[in-house]
PDB file of all heavy atoms in Angstrom:
ATOM      1  N   GLU B 325     -18.702  -0.228  21.247  1.00  0.00           N
ATOM      2  CA  GLU B 325     -19.231   0.056  19.922  1.00  0.00           C
ATOM      3  C   GLU B 325     -18.663  -0.888  18.837  1.00  0.00           C
ATOM      4  O   GLU B 325     -19.196  -0.984  17.762  1.00  0.00           O
ATOM      5  CB  GLU B 325     -18.902   1.501  19.509  1.00  0.00           C
ATOM      6  CG  GLU B 325     -19.680   2.526  20.312  1.00  0.00           C
ATOM      7  CD  GLU B 325     -19.158   3.955  20.078  1.00  0.00           C
ATOM      8  OE1 GLU B 325     -18.099   4.091  19.442  1.00  0.00           O
ATOM      9  OE2 GLU B 325     -19.826   4.867  20.548  1.00  0.00           O
ATOM     10  N   ARG B 326     -17.580  -1.581  19.163  1.00  0.00           N
ATOM     11  CA  ARG B 326     -16.871  -2.350  18.142  1.00  0.00           C
ATOM     12  C   ARG B 326     -16.643  -3.792  18.461  1.00  0.00           C
ATOM     13  O   ARG B 326     -16.109  -4.536  17.615  1.00  0.00           O
ATOM     14  CB  ARG B 326     -15.513  -1.699  17.847  1.00  0.00           C
ATOM     15  CG  ARG B 326     -15.621  -0.302  17.267  1.00  0.00           C
ATOM     16  CD  ARG B 326     -14.296   0.413  17.336  1.00  0.00           C
ATOM     17  NE  ARG B 326     -14.369   1.718  16.674  1.00  0.00           N
ATOM     18  CZ  ARG B 326     -14.798   2.827  17.250  1.00  0.00           C
ATOM     19  NH1 ARG B 326     -15.197   2.791  18.508  1.00  0.00           N
ATOM     20  NH2 ARG B 326     -14.854   3.945  16.581  1.00  0.00           N
ATOM     21  N   LEU B 327     -16.952  -4.171  19.676  1.00  0.00           N
ATOM     22  CA  LEU B 327     -16.684  -5.564  20.090  1.00  0.00           C
ATOM     23  C   LEU B 327     -17.903  -6.087  20.836  1.00  0.00           C
ATOM     24  O   LEU B 327     -18.120  -5.731  21.962  1.00  0.00           O
ATOM     25  CB  LEU B 327     -15.458  -5.543  21.014  1.00  0.00           C
ATOM     26  CG  LEU B 327     -14.565  -6.741  21.080  1.00  0.00           C
ATOM     27  CD1 LEU B 327     -13.234  -6.327  21.699  1.00  0.00           C
ATOM     28  CD2 LEU B 327     -15.168  -7.825  21.930  1.00  0.00           C
ATOM     29  N   ARG B 328     -18.659  -6.918  20.145  1.00  0.00           N
ATOM     30  CA  ARG B 328     -19.954  -7.336  20.719  1.00  0.00           C
ATOM     31  C   ARG B 328     -20.148  -8.828  20.844  1.00  0.00           C
ATOM     32  O   ARG B 328     -20.961  -9.263  21.660  1.00  0.00           O
ATOM     33  CB  ARG B 328     -21.084  -6.776  19.856  1.00  0.00           C
ATOM     34  CG  ARG B 328     -21.110  -5.260  19.876  1.00  0.00           C
ATOM     35  CD  ARG B 328     -22.129  -4.739  18.931  1.00  0.00           C
ATOM     36  NE  ARG B 328     -22.262  -3.311  19.082  1.00  0.00           N
ATOM     37  CZ  ARG B 328     -23.304  -2.633  18.621  1.00  0.00           C
ATOM     38  NH1 ARG B 328     -24.271  -3.240  18.011  1.00  0.00           N
ATOM     39  NH2 ARG B 328     -23.363  -1.317  18.776  1.00  0.00           N
ATOM     40  N   VAL B 329     -19.473  -9.575  20.013  1.00  0.00           N
ATOM     41  CA  VAL B 329     -19.678 -11.024  20.027  1.00  0.00           C
ATOM     42  C   VAL B 329     -18.314 -11.724  20.023  1.00  0.00           C
ATOM     43  O   VAL B 329     -17.402 -11.340  19.302  1.00  0.00           O
ATOM     44  CB  VAL B 329     -20.450 -11.451  18.733  1.00  0.00           C
ATOM     45  CG1 VAL B 329     -20.612 -12.971  18.701  1.00  0.00           C
ATOM     46  CG2 VAL B 329     -21.795 -10.760  18.657  1.00  0.00           C
ATOM     47  N   VAL B 330     -18.197 -12.712  20.889  1.00  0.00           N
ATOM     48  CA  VAL B 330     -16.924 -13.463  20.980  1.00  0.00           C
ATOM     49  C   VAL B 330     -17.198 -14.924  20.618  1.00  0.00           C
ATOM     50  O   VAL B 330     -18.068 -15.563  21.212  1.00  0.00           O
ATOM     51  CB  VAL B 330     -16.313 -13.358  22.395  1.00  0.00           C
ATOM     52  CG1 VAL B 330     -14.932 -14.021  22.403  1.00  0.00           C
ATOM     53  CG2 VAL B 330     -16.191 -11.907  22.787  1.00  0.00           C
ATOM     54  N   LEU B 331     -16.451 -15.402  19.646  1.00  0.00           N
ATOM     55  CA  LEU B 331     -16.589 -16.787  19.208  1.00  0.00           C
ATOM     56  C   LEU B 331     -15.326 -17.586  19.563  1.00  0.00           C
ATOM     57  O   LEU B 331     -14.251 -17.006  19.680  1.00  0.00           O
ATOM     58  CB  LEU B 331     -16.784 -16.839  17.673  1.00  0.00           C
ATOM     59  CG  LEU B 331     -17.880 -15.997  17.058  1.00  0.00           C
ATOM     60  CD1 LEU B 331     -17.855 -16.124  15.529  1.00  0.00           C
ATOM     61  CD2 LEU B 331     -19.246 -16.403  17.608  1.00  0.00           C
ATOM     62  N   PRO B 332     -15.492 -18.873  19.695  1.00  0.00           N
ATOM     63  CA  PRO B 332     -14.280 -19.681  19.984  1.00  0.00           C
ATOM     64  C   PRO B 332     -13.416 -19.807  18.707  1.00  0.00           C
ATOM     65  O   PRO B 332     -13.951 -19.728  17.596  1.00  0.00           O
ATOM     66  CB  PRO B 332     -14.857 -21.048  20.404  1.00  0.00           C
ATOM     67  CG  PRO B 332     -16.173 -21.100  19.743  1.00  0.00           C
ATOM     68  CD  PRO B 332     -16.680 -19.690  19.655  1.00  0.00           C
ATOM     69  N   GLY B 333     -12.156 -20.030  18.917  1.00  0.00           N
ATOM     70  CA  GLY B 333     -11.263 -20.151  17.756  1.00  0.00           C
ATOM     71  C   GLY B 333     -11.081 -21.565  17.265  1.00  0.00           C
ATOM     72  O   GLY B 333     -10.556 -21.793  16.170  1.00  0.00           O
ATOM     73  N   ASP B 334     -11.537 -22.526  18.075  1.00  0.00           N
ATOM     74  CA  ASP B 334     -11.255 -23.911  17.693  1.00  0.00           C
ATOM     75  C   ASP B 334     -12.373 -24.516  16.875  1.00  0.00           C
ATOM     76  O   ASP B 334     -12.653 -25.705  16.925  1.00  0.00           O
ATOM     77  CB  ASP B 334     -10.992 -24.764  18.972  1.00  0.00           C
ATOM     78  CG  ASP B 334     -12.178 -24.673  19.949  1.00  0.00           C
ATOM     79  OD1 ASP B 334     -13.108 -23.892  19.667  1.00  0.00           O
ATOM     80  OD2 ASP B 334     -12.125 -25.367  20.966  1.00  0.00           O
ATOM     81  N   GLY B 335     -13.056 -23.710  16.157  1.00  0.00           N
ATOM     82  CA  GLY B 335     -14.115 -24.238  15.253  1.00  0.00           C
ATOM     83  C   GLY B 335     -14.176 -23.365  14.032  1.00  0.00           C
ATOM     84  O   GLY B 335     -13.550 -22.310  13.962  1.00  0.00           O
ATOM     85  N   ASP B 336     -14.944 -23.819  13.073  1.00  0.00           N
ATOM     86  CA  ASP B 336     -15.094 -23.079  11.840  1.00  0.00           C
ATOM     87  C   ASP B 336     -16.303 -22.129  12.013  1.00  0.00           C
ATOM     88  O   ASP B 336     -17.383 -22.563  12.375  1.00  0.00           O
ATOM     89  CB  ASP B 336     -15.368 -24.060  10.683  1.00  0.00           C
ATOM     90  CG  ASP B 336     -15.246 -23.368   9.346  1.00  0.00           C
ATOM     91  OD1 ASP B 336     -15.384 -22.134   9.296  1.00  0.00           O
ATOM     92  OD2 ASP B 336     -15.003 -24.075   8.351  1.00  0.00           O
ATOM     93  N   VAL B 337     -16.067 -20.842  11.773  1.00  0.00           N
ATOM     94  CA  VAL B 337     -17.170 -19.872  11.888  1.00  0.00           C
ATOM     95  C   VAL B 337     -18.347 -20.275  11.014  1.00  0.00           C
ATOM     96  O   VAL B 337     -19.508 -20.073  11.336  1.00  0.00           O
ATOM     97  CB  VAL B 337     -16.678 -18.450  11.549  1.00  0.00           C
ATOM     98  CG1 VAL B 337     -17.837 -17.477  11.558  1.00  0.00           C
ATOM     99  CG2 VAL B 337     -15.626 -18.023  12.541  1.00  0.00           C
ATOM    100  N   SER B 338     -18.010 -20.879   9.862  1.00  0.00           N
ATOM    101  CA  SER B 338     -19.051 -21.252   8.920  1.00  0.00           C
ATOM    102  C   SER B 338     -20.089 -22.175   9.552  1.00  0.00           C
ATOM    103  O   SER B 338     -21.257 -22.183   9.146  1.00  0.00           O
ATOM    104  CB  SER B 338     -18.427 -21.959   7.692  1.00  0.00           C
ATOM    105  OG  SER B 338     -17.525 -21.076   7.051  1.00  0.00           O
ATOM    106  N   ASP B 339     -19.646 -22.962  10.522  1.00  0.00           N
ATOM    107  CA  ASP B 339     -20.602 -23.869  11.204  1.00  0.00           C
ATOM    108  C   ASP B 339     -21.697 -23.119  11.954  1.00  0.00           C
ATOM    109  O   ASP B 339     -22.734 -23.696  12.267  1.00  0.00           O
ATOM    110  CB  ASP B 339     -19.852 -24.751  12.179  1.00  0.00           C
ATOM    111  CG  ASP B 339     -18.906 -25.718  11.473  1.00  0.00           C
ATOM    112  OD1 ASP B 339     -19.084 -25.927  10.240  1.00  0.00           O
ATOM    113  OD2 ASP B 339     -17.974 -26.222  12.127  1.00  0.00           O
ATOM    114  N   LEU B 340     -21.449 -21.858  12.281  1.00  0.00           N
ATOM    115  CA  LEU B 340     -22.430 -21.088  13.036  1.00  0.00           C
ATOM    116  C   LEU B 340     -23.344 -20.277  12.143  1.00  0.00           C
ATOM    117  O   LEU B 340     -24.267 -19.615  12.623  1.00  0.00           O
ATOM    118  CB  LEU B 340     -21.688 -20.144  14.003  1.00  0.00           C
ATOM    119  CG  LEU B 340     -20.714 -20.775  14.968  1.00  0.00           C
ATOM    120  CD1 LEU B 340     -20.047 -19.715  15.819  1.00  0.00           C
ATOM    121  CD2 LEU B 340     -21.421 -21.758  15.874  1.00  0.00           C
ATOM    122  N   LEU B 341     -23.085 -20.297  10.826  1.00  0.00           N
ATOM    123  CA  LEU B 341     -23.861 -19.430   9.925  1.00  0.00           C
ATOM    124  C   LEU B 341     -25.194 -20.054   9.580  1.00  0.00           C
ATOM    125  O   LEU B 341     -25.305 -21.291   9.441  1.00  0.00           O
ATOM    126  CB  LEU B 341     -23.054 -19.162   8.636  1.00  0.00           C
ATOM    127  CG  LEU B 341     -21.756 -18.390   8.850  1.00  0.00           C
ATOM    128  CD1 LEU B 341     -21.040 -18.158   7.520  1.00  0.00           C
ATOM    129  CD2 LEU B 341     -21.981 -17.061   9.569  1.00  0.00           C
ATOM    130  N   ARG B 342     -26.200 -19.216   9.437  1.00  0.00           N
ATOM    131  CA  ARG B 342     -27.517 -19.674   9.095  1.00  0.00           C
ATOM    132  C   ARG B 342     -28.073 -18.771   8.012  1.00  0.00           C
ATOM    133  O   ARG B 342     -27.898 -17.557   8.056  1.00  0.00           O
ATOM    134  CB  ARG B 342     -28.477 -19.622  10.293  1.00  0.00           C
ATOM    135  CG  ARG B 342     -28.019 -20.414  11.517  1.00  0.00           C
ATOM    136  CD  ARG B 342     -28.270 -21.913  11.326  1.00  0.00           C
ATOM    137  NE  ARG B 342     -27.837 -22.667  12.459  1.00  0.00           N
ATOM    138  CZ  ARG B 342     -26.626 -23.195  12.641  1.00  0.00           C
ATOM    139  NH1 ARG B 342     -25.680 -22.991  11.703  1.00  0.00           N
ATOM    140  NH2 ARG B 342     -26.323 -23.884  13.697  1.00  0.00           N
TER     141      ARG B 342
END
Side-chain angles (χ1 to χ4, degrees):
Chain B
E325 291 169 350
R326 295 166 175 84
L327 209 162
R328 296 175 172 196
V329 178
V330 186
L331 307 177
D334 56 355
D336 192 337
V337 175
S338 299
D339 293 341
L340 304 178
L341 298 181
R342 304 283 181 270

